[in-house]
């Protein structure tokens, strides 16, 4: 099995990114968390990686999936569950398994429950699991940290949102996804995106203006 993620060898899932769940987050800045999660969603769309969206008790407790995520996948209805461990939900598990891919990239709220439980269960069933730590968060710093340690000890691989997208791109000569990736970075890439916008101004439009002035 190849070590690095590719658009052809992985499946992604975003679990329980809902209003009630983010209310309980204490281990991360909520705006950064939302930004990183949307970056992951957009990356999956750019590279045509299968994405499984899931919620818990959307109608009775936690509310709908964040609209910023739903807007990326308007055609997809998130799989709503009652079980905290998504892997124990038949529809969720079937959606993952039917892709035929054994690398599972997962993010969710909260780390200690909705990431750790399915990550550990999927590993038991032969999946290679990657947990996106900055698109996940816990009810406390300790909860997030200890859960991450537990997963790593079991063999889960920690990754970050930007790392996943750049791992899928990997070569800027891949022109088919170059511009879409740059677009995602400039809108959701934080300081990296600001730098790209500045570089475009300084080396692009601004450079053209300088040439015109010096003529």
């Amino acid at each position: 099995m190849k070590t690095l993620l590719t658009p052809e060898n992985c499946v992604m899932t975003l679990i329980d990114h809902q209003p009630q769940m983010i209310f309980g987050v204490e281990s991360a800045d909520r705006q950064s968390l939302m930004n990183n999660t949307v970056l992951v969603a957009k990356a999956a769309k750019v590279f045509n990686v299968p994405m499984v969206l899931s919620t818990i008790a959307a109608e009775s407790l936690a509310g709908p999936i964040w609209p910023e995520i739903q807007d990326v996948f308007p055609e997809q209805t998130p799989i709503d569950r009652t079980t905290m461990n998504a892997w124990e939900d038949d529809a969720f598990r079937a959606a993952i398994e039917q892709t035929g891919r054994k690398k599972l990239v997962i993010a969710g709220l909260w780390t200690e429950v909705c990431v750790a439980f399915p990550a550990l269960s999927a590993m038991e069933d032969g999946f290679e699991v990657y947990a996106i730590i900055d698109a996940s968060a816990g009810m406390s710093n300790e909860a997030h940290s200890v859960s991450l340690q537990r997963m790593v000890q079991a063999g889960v691989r920690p990754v970050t949102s930007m790392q996943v997208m750049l791992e899928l791109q990997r070569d800027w000569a891949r022109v088919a996804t170059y511009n879409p990736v740059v677009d995602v970075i400039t809108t959701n890439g934080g300081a990296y995106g600001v730098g790209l916008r500045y570089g475009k101004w300084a080396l692009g439009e601004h450079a053209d203006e300088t040439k015109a002035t010096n003529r």
Side-chain angles (χ1 to χ4, degrees):
M1 184 178 290
K2 291 183 178 179
T3 300
L4 294 179
L5 298 170
T6 72
E8 297 77 29
N9 70 7
C10 65
V11 53
M12 296 187 187
T13 181
L14 296 177
I15 301 176
D16 301 352
H17 290 90
Q18 300 164 262
Q20 180 62 32
M21 307 309 293
I22 200 170
F23 290 159
V25 164
E26 292 293 341
S27 71
D29 173 76
R30 292 175 179 84
Q31 189 58 53
S32 295
L33 172 66
M34 293 180 71
N35 200 56
N36 294 335
T37 306
V38 173
L39 186 149
V40 171
K42 289 181 177 179
K45 191 77 167 185
V46 166
F47 291 98
N48 200 30
V49 173
M51 170 64 79
V52 177
L53 304 178
S54 187
T55 55
I56 188 165
E59 295 295 328
S60 60
L61 175 65
I65 196 168
W66 300 342
E68 294 85 353
I69 297 173
Q70 189 69 74
D71 287 348
V72 180
F73 300 98
E75 75 289 347
Q76 186 174 156
T77 300
I79 298 169
D80 198 44
R81 317 176 323 276
T82 58
T83 174
M84 289 179 280
N85 182 357
W87 202 249
E88 295 175 347
D89 183 271
D90 291 341
F92 177 88
R93 183 170 173 173
I96 298 293
E97 292 179 334
Q98 71 182 11
T99 68
R101 303 181 179 204
K102 301 301 286 185
K103 288 181 182 287
L104 174 60
V105 184
I106 182 172
L109 302 179
W110 301 308
T111 315
E112 60 269 34
V113 180
C114 300
V115 177
F117 293 177
L120 296 172
S121 295
M123 282 202 64
E124 289 180 348
D125 287 336
F127 283 79
E128 186 177 316
V129 181
Y130 298 74
I132 309 178
I133 60 173
D134 62 348
S136 306
M139 295 181 71
S140 68
N141 289 330
E142 291 81 5
H144 180 76
S145 176
V146 169
S147 298
L148 179 59
Q149 291 178 47
R150 179 185 181 188
M151 288 188 283
V152 170
Q153 288 170 355
V156 174
R157 294 157 169 81
V159 292
T160 64
S161 53
M162 185 65 73
Q163 177 187 1
V164 167
M165 185 168 70
L166 295 182
E167 193 164 329
L168 295 174
Q169 177 66 26
R170 213 148 64 240
D171 187 342
W172 292 119
R174 294 174 178 170
V175 295
T177 50
Y178 176 89
N179 284 329
V181 166
V182 169
D183 288 343
V184 175
I185 293 173
T186 55
T187 56
N188 298 97
Y192 185 14
V194 173
L196 285 183
R197 288 196 296 271
Y198 174 75
K200 181 178 180 180
W201 171 81
L203 301 176
E205 294 95 332
H206 182 61
D208 292 339
E209 291 173 5
T210 300
K211 290 177 183 178
T213 302
N214 293 334
R215 284 176 184 169

